[in-house]
Amino acid sequence: MHDVVNLADLPYHVRLELSSQHIEAEWLEPGERDEAAHAKLEEATPKMQAKAARLAQLAVFMMKRETDGWTKPQIFAAVRKAFGAEGTSEASLWRILRTVRDVAPANFAPALLDDSNMDGRPCGPNWDDAWHFALAQIADAHAEWPLDAAYDRLEAVKAEMGWHLPSRAAFHRRWDALPMSVRLTLRHGAEKALKLLRQPAMRNRGSIAPMDIWSLDGRTLDHWATFEDLTIARPVELRLVDVGSGKVLASRIGKSENAVDTVALILESVRKFGIPKCIYTDNGRAFAGHLVAGGAAFKFRKRKAQGPLFEPPGVCHHLGISVNFAKPANGQAKLVERSFAETAKRIDAGPEFAGAHSGSTPGRKPEGKVRPVPIATVRAVFARELAHHNERKRRAGFAHGRSFNQIFDDGRIGQIHRPANERQLYLASLIYKPVSVDRNGRFKVEGWTYGQPDTQDKLSAYFDFTRGQAKEQILAGVDPQDFSLPAIAYDSDARKIVDGIRAVIAGDYQSKESAREAARYDKAARDSVAKAKEFSNLAGKALMAKATAAYENSTPIAAVGPVSNVVEPRFKAPLKDRPTAKKIGMTDRQVINLDAFLDTPNLKSR
């Protein structure tokens, strides 16, 4: 009975001694030992060392018989008989003989060491430099650039660079041995790799009650439609989904993803279901702008201060809805995206849109003749299909055979209803713009002029007639659906100035009605001036003369002192004839009439 030992399990110096004994047993002269080559062999893995030692035995065996005059067929047959069929094909044996032809037998094992290890780690000189060059090329290239193209570049420059390359398969093995995080980073960049590697949070939607969170987003539909103005375009759907139940609350289809339609969608849902606690959306322009998210505590868009005036309040601010935003480029965090994915093919690819379907690729157009459908048809189909979507019974998750409508209704049992009053809805439906009042007590919004004689007095308080410019901007709210409706104005502290500010409707150039309107305005102005003159005549001539004489006799005469020839310089700023708002303790948001301020009795008495 004999003990069998794997060569790879033996220490390196034991394997070296066995190799030397084998050479001596074959009566070959070992020759001079190459220490550098053996050092390289010693750094290899035990498995590779054992393989090199076995190939060295084959080489010694063949070289001895070649010296004795054996033919190659005889040598190869003897090798297979002595060492078995593994690794002893004719091609392999020829390769071994070519490799050790000019090598001393003592250095057969280092010479027959593979160019690279089985796990892809380098063994040849300068292989690290080539590998790093290849990784840099992969990082700069597109994610779809093949690995073989990177290896071909190494092959093209290896002679000039002095690189010793492994086989193509070893190159692939070394790439596959890299950690997944490294491969993803090199292929896609750090930002996308982080997104691909991030573990999603597991959330239990059963813990969220209906009306707690609404998910808001929009998408471009996969077909073409003809709108009321006869323009042809791919419609855009805005959708609100209740996260606690999955129910589609409302859907609005238009030409684009815009803030005005988003406000209308939110108001429609609030009128029907009440006010939710939170709306969860992304940082798109239609959702993170002032009309929707104005006054939100945090948003990714327009985070810098917009000037001295406070930020115009949005629809959610008026209704008391908090707004949370998904991280940029993280659309999968929104439940409405899942709702879109479920209904896109079921609705967009339906028979009602035959010939108008364009596919889901952005910008793609249908081939051949386009047959767009009327936008009224699109809206009718979506209303019908989304109603079926809400009524379809579900088995997955917490549905337990219920539809979205049933889950929503069951969750609202015993829930406190939060309806919006008409004043809230009115204020939330307006858009707010910072404007400046002109000398006529009017302001402009989106090309419309607002202001009539009955509001002129309150609005003119925000115009400085002495300087001929507006004192400060005010906040004007107008109806985006109909700019001809009356507007409302607030100051910078969010206090109402006046409402019911009617729009000035321009008439024809030679319109008599416009002339009569101007005459009425002119009469109102004359009445106001006449009333002001009455105030100036109340004192009477005798009283005015007596008070004027007393004032002239009371004028103090200042003593004239010595004149200095030294002038105090100002280095930081040019001379100013009046203190700035900051010097008298005013903030950037507060603007006062300095002339009136300096003429106050308290300051004169000082």
Side-chain angles (χ1 to χ4, degrees):
M1 183 176 182
H2 301 281
D3 292 332
V4 178
V5 179
N6 191 345
L7 286 177
D9 296 334
L10 297 176
Y12 177 74
H13 68 278
V14 175
R15 294 197 299 271
L16 184 61
E17 180 62 28
L18 289 175
S19 178
S20 300
Q21 292 179 6
H22 180 70
I23 294 174
E24 294 176 359
E26 295 291 346
W27 297 96
L28 284 179
E29 185 65 32
E32 184 177 355
R33 176 184 171 88
D34 187 345
E35 296 298 337
H38 279 273
K40 173 186 169 184
L41 176 64
E42 190 172 357
E43 292 176 357
T45 62
K47 185 175 181 180
M48 299 306 301
Q49 291 175 357
K51 181 180 178 181
R54 181 175 182 274
L55 295 179
Q57 290 181 0
L58 297 179
V60 170
F61 185 89
M62 289 189 292
M63 292 297 291
K64 169 61 178 174
R65 280 147 186 79
E66 189 178 46
T67 304
D68 293 342
W70 289 33
T71 64
K72 293 299 188 294
Q74 292 174 334
I75 294 174
F76 295 162
V79 169
R80 281 190 286 271
K81 183 177 180 180
F83 294 93
E86 183 180 357
T88 57
S89 65
E90 185 173 335
S92 298
L93 296 178
W94 272 111
R95 181 182 62 82
I96 294 172
L97 287 175
R98 286 194 300 269
T99 302
V100 301
R101 180 63 63 190
D102 299 322
V103 179
N107 302 318
F108 278 0
L112 293 168
L113 182 66
D114 279 351
D115 290 339
S116 63
N117 296 323
M118 294 302 292
D119 59 359
R121 288 184 299 150
C123 289
N126 294 327
W127 168 219
D128 277 341
D129 292 342
W131 177 245
H132 295 156
F133 172 77
L135 294 184
Q137 294 280 292
I138 293 171
D140 292 339
H142 191 268
E144 297 179 359
W145 197 51
L147 286 177
D148 284 335
Y151 186 83
D152 291 340
R153 293 200 177 191
L154 297 181
E155 286 278 8
V157 300
K158 69 176 183 180
E160 183 175 351
M161 299 299 297
W163 288 340
H164 179 78
L165 298 183
S167 65
R168 191 179 297 269
F171 180 81
H172 281 267
R173 285 198 301 270
R174 186 171 186 183
W175 170 260
D176 293 337
L178 291 173
M180 181 175 63
S181 58
V182 176
R183 283 180 283 150
L184 290 176
T185 303
L186 291 172
R187 281 298 198 186
H188 304 285
E191 184 176 352
K192 186 173 181 180
L194 181 62
K195 184 177 180 180
L196 293 172
L197 292 169
R198 184 181 291 120
Q199 294 291 328
M202 304 301 292
R203 294 184 175 93
N204 179 18
R205 282 173 48 208
S207 62
I208 303 176
M211 302 295 291
D212 279 354
I213 301 174
W214 287 359
S215 186
L216 168 67
D217 203 3
R219 75 175 182 96
T220 303
L221 303 184
D222 296 341
H223 53 260
W224 295 79
T226 304
F227 287 83
E228 291 84 354
D229 58 359
L230 302 183
T231 58
I232 298 175
R234 289 176 63 180
V236 172
E237 180 199 5
L238 296 172
R239 185 181 295 186
L240 266 175
V241 175
D242 180 74
V243 176
S245 63
K247 176 178 180 174
V248 177
L249 301 170
S251 174
R252 191 175 183 89
I253 295 176
K255 288 184 181 180
S256 64
E257 187 178 272
N258 61 81
V260 174
D261 282 344
T262 302
V263 171
L265 179 72
I266 295 173
L267 291 176
E268 175 188 348
S269 302
V270 168
R271 285 189 176 96
K272 189 173 182 180
F273 302 104
I275 301 174
K277 295 179 181 178
C278 173
I279 286 182
Y280 190 76
T281 183
D282 59 27
N283 67 326
R285 186 180 299 274
F287 313 128
H290 292 330
L291 293 186
V292 177
F298 174 83
K299 54 186 176 181
F300 292 99
R301 186 180 295 275
K302 295 185 179 180
R303 292 168 61 180
K304 296 183 179 180
Q306 298 297 310
L309 194 70
F310 69 97
E311 183 180 62
V315 59
C316 294
H317 184 75
H318 281 294
L319 297 174
I321 305 171
S322 64
V323 185
N324 289 340
F325 296 95
K327 291 181 179 180
N330 190 36
Q332 66 269 22
K334 296 173 297 193
L335 180 68
V336 66
E337 292 282 4
R338 192 180 308 172
S339 177
F340 281 147
E342 184 176 352
T343 60
K345 300 301 181 184
R346 297 178 68 95
I347 303 179
D348 291 20
E352 295 87 353
F353 308 124
H357 192 268
S358 63
S360 58
T361 304
R364 182 178 173 184
K365 296 183 178 181
E367 297 180 358
K369 294 183 178 180
V370 180
R371 289 182 293 173
V373 295
I375 191 63
T377 301
V378 177
R379 292 183 176 126
V381 170
F382 267 78
R384 181 191 68 213
E385 294 301 323
L386 289 178
H388 288 306
H389 172 78
N390 286 334
E391 281 294 334
R392 191 164 62 250
K393 297 186 182 302
R394 318 279 168 155
R395 295 185 178 274
F398 57 90
H400 304 300
R402 297 177 296 170
S403 67
F404 287 153
N405 282 337
Q406 289 174 319
I407 299 172
F408 184 80
D409 294 338
D410 291 347
R412 300 204 67 186
I413 296 176
Q415 200 177 64
I416 298 175
H417 184 51
R418 300 176 65 201
N421 59 47
E422 288 303 318
R423 182 65 176 175
Q424 278 181 301
L425 294 172
Y426 166 70
L427 294 176
S429 65
L430 304 181
I431 63 172
Y432 296 86
K433 299 280 188 179
V435 297
S436 297
V437 178
D438 62 18
R439 64 176 61 252
N440 300 313
R442 294 174 172 178
F443 58 83
K444 292 183 178 181
V445 177
E446 300 292 343
W448 285 75
T449 301
Y450 295 85
Q452 304 287 350
D454 54 351
T455 61
Q456 184 181 31
D457 190 49
K458 292 183 179 180
L459 291 176
S460 294
Y462 293 86
F463 186 85
D464 189 340
F465 289 90
T466 302
R467 299 182 180 181
Q469 63 184 27
K471 293 181 182 179
E472 61 174 308
Q473 285 190 311
I474 63 173
L475 199 65
V478 297
D479 192 329
Q481 306 293 339
D482 187 356
F483 284 96
S484 66
L485 295 179
I488 188 170
Y490 293 87
D491 64 15
S492 57
D493 291 324
R495 293 190 298 263
K496 186 180 74 171
I497 302 171
V498 64
D499 59 5
I501 310 169
R502 289 170 292 161
V504 179
I505 308 298
D508 293 336
Y509 190 80
Q510 295 181 334
S511 170
K512 293 183 179 180
E513 178 61 30
S514 298
R516 285 193 293 267
E517 182 84 1
R520 286 195 296 269
Y521 293 166
D522 187 58
K523 182 179 183 302
R526 288 197 304 270
D527 291 343
S528 298
V529 171
K531 187 176 182 180
K533 282 185 176 182
E534 292 178 6
F535 282 99
S536 66
N537 295 329
L538 289 178
K541 292 183 178 180
L543 179 61
M544 287 295 296
K546 183 179 179 179
T548 301
Y551 177 74
E552 291 177 352
N553 294 331
S554 66
T555 303
I557 300 175
V560 179
V563 178
S564 172
N565 59 356
V566 178
V567 178
E568 182 180 2
R570 297 279 306 273
F571 296 104
K572 294 184 178 180
L575 294 174
K576 296 181 180 179
D577 60 353
R578 62 185 71 246
T580 62
K582 290 184 178 179
K583 285 190 177 181
I584 58 176
M586 306 301 291
T587 65
D588 289 341
R589 288 188 176 184
Q590 294 172 311
V591 181
I592 63 172
N593 188 328
L594 293 178
D595 293 331
F597 181 80
L598 294 174
D599 288 337
T600 56
N602 290 335
L603 287 181
K604 284 191 173 183
S605 64
R606 296 179 187 175

